């Protein structure tokens, strides 16, 4: 079987990287890179599965919009005392304790760790526990439920909720192509392609203000690959590229305005070591 597996007593370090390009509100780019540590342990409730303690070890952020740039590097002491630094550190050092079933699906997730000060920049994105939950939930996605041979394909369909209202439907087809070499690691390669569609609620302009309506999402292209390392029995690398057209509601009676968005997300396994 080609399926990731967390081994109790081992630490897994991953680096996730997301790059976003959009013309929403004027040309804008976003770059976020986060290093996460996942410590695997045995479930003590007698059920099959595993427990994971996840926390962030590093965060690099660069946001560009309208000629302005915001940067933050968690390992630079000079960045921590700034308004931007205090904003990102408000959530960065929160941890998440996961309980996973035997298929690595999340049965429960409980936040813990250090509580940072309240952000001085409300409205600016934060990164921490939500990204850890996304990472742990993403690792098993797309792998086949049964043994496969080169050329075999399988399709996943479903729906993901977005916020308190709205959802995205997806359909992705995966194809196992066989062994490849990646950074001197012998891996098994899975390629995929699909699409997303649905409606996402827009945030209100201010607290207490009426909703701003919904934004239609059409994924004209979703492609990528998964590389599985059979020695570590874990996802070694994944890459996903999404091309979206966001349909923003116009003035009453006007047609929606399409806004193109390009996003590339990668997940890279740094290493697997026995937990000290």
């Amino acid at each position: 079987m080609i399926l990731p597996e967390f081994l109790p007593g081992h630490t897994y370090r991953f680096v996730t990287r997301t790059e976003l390009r959009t013309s929403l509100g004027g040309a804008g780019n976003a770059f976020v890179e986060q290093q996460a540590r996942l410590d695997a342990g045995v479930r003590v409730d007698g059920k099959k599965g595993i427990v994971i303690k996840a926390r962030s070890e590093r965060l690099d952020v660069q946001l560009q919009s309208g000629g302005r740039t915001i940067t933050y590097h968690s390992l630079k002491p000079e960045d921590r005392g700034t308004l931007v630094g205090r904003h990102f550190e408000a959530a960065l050092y929160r941890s998440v304790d996961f309980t996973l079933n035997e298929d690595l699906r999340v049965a429960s997730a409980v936040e813990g760790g250090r509580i940072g000060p309240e952000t001085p920049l409300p409205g600016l994105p934060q990164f921490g526990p939500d990204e850890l939950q996304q990472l742990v939930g993403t690792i098993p996605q797309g792998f086949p439920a049964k043994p496969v041979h080169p050329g075999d394909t399988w399709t996943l369909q479903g729906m993901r909720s977005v916020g308190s209202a709205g959802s995205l439907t997806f359909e992705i087809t995966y194809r196992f192509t066989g062994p490849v070499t990646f950074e001197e690691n012998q891996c098994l390669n899975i390629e995929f392609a699909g699409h997303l569609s649905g409606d996402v609620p827009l945030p209100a302009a201010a607290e207490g203000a009426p909703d701003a309506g919904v934004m239609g999402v059409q994924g004209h292209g979703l492609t990528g690959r998964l590389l599985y390392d059979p020695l570590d029995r874990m996802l070694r690398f994944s890459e996903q590229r999404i091309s979206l057209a966001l349909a923003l509601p116009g003035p009453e009676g006007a047609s929606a305005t399409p806004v193109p968005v390009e996003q590339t997300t990668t997940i890279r396994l740094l290493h697997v070591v026995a937990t000290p």
Side-chain angles (χ1 to χ4, degrees):
M1 287 286 292
I2 305 175
L3 188 66
E5 180 181 354
F6 285 104
L7 301 178
H10 287 73
T11 292
Y12 299 76
R13 281 188 170 87
F14 290 91
V15 171
T16 62
R17 180 186 179 109
T18 299
E19 296 181 66
L20 181 70
R21 298 179 182 275
T22 178
S23 58
L24 182 62
N29 300 319
F31 163 83
V32 180
E33 184 172 281
Q34 188 171 1
Q35 180 173 312
R37 170 175 175 162
L38 309 182
D39 294 322
V42 178
R43 288 185 66 160
V44 296
D45 57 6
K47 297 181 180 179
K48 293 183 179 181
I50 201 154
V51 295
I52 297 286
K53 187 173 187 65
R55 61 181 184 271
S56 300
E57 294 185 317
R58 175 176 63 84
L59 177 67
D60 295 336
V61 179
Q62 180 173 296
L63 307 176
Q64 295 177 317
S65 179
R68 298 181 60 190
T69 300
I70 293 174
T71 60
Y72 168 75
H73 303 279
S74 64
L75 297 184
K76 289 185 177 181
E78 61 270 25
D79 282 6
R80 298 173 187 164
T82 65
L83 283 177
V84 172
R86 296 205 303 272
H87 166 80
F88 287 120
E89 295 203 358
L92 177 61
Y93 297 107
R94 298 289 287 166
S95 62
V96 183
D97 292 328
F98 295 94
T99 300
L100 310 182
N101 64 21
E102 57 185 323
D103 297 322
L104 296 190
R105 306 301 178 184
V106 177
S108 68
V110 180
E111 284 192 33
R114 193 176 86 194
I115 299 177
E118 184 176 349
T119 171
L121 299 172
L124 193 68
Q126 288 184 295
F127 306 97
D130 287 347
E131 285 63 39
L132 293 174
Q133 294 196 44
Q134 184 175 3
L135 170 62
V136 172
T138 297
I139 287 173
Q141 286 183 1
F143 287 94
K146 60 183 181 180
V148 292
H149 300 89
D152 286 350
T153 63
W154 58 99
T155 300
L156 294 182
Q157 297 175 319
M159 181 176 293
R160 294 182 183 177
S161 61
V162 180
S164 58
S167 60
L168 294 178
T169 60
F170 65 88
E171 180 175 321
I172 305 173
T173 299
Y174 297 83
R175 182 170 67 93
F176 176 50
T177 66
V180 295
T181 300
F182 175 77
E183 298 180 347
E184 301 183 353
N185 298 291
Q186 295 299 313
C187 298
L188 301 177
N189 184 61
I190 297 171
E191 297 177 350
F192 62 87
H195 64 267
L196 297 166
S197 63
D199 294 325
V200 178
L202 292 170
E207 185 175 354
D211 292 340
V214 298
M215 173 176 59
V217 176
Q218 294 291 332
H220 297 295
L222 187 158
T223 61
R225 57 176 175 155
L226 307 172
L227 297 181
Y228 174 80
D229 190 326
L231 292 181
D232 284 325
R233 289 182 278 178
M234 180 51 63
L235 174 71
R236 170 62 58 180
F237 179 78
S238 73
E239 182 177 36
Q240 176 179 274
R241 294 186 175 91
I242 301 177
S243 297
L244 295 175
L246 306 181
L248 297 178
E252 187 174 352
S255 59
T257 303
V259 177
V261 176
E262 303 285 337
Q263 178 178 294
T264 300
T265 302
T266 61
I267 300 173
R268 184 186 303 269
L269 176 65
L270 292 183
H271 61 230
V272 181
V273 296
T275 302

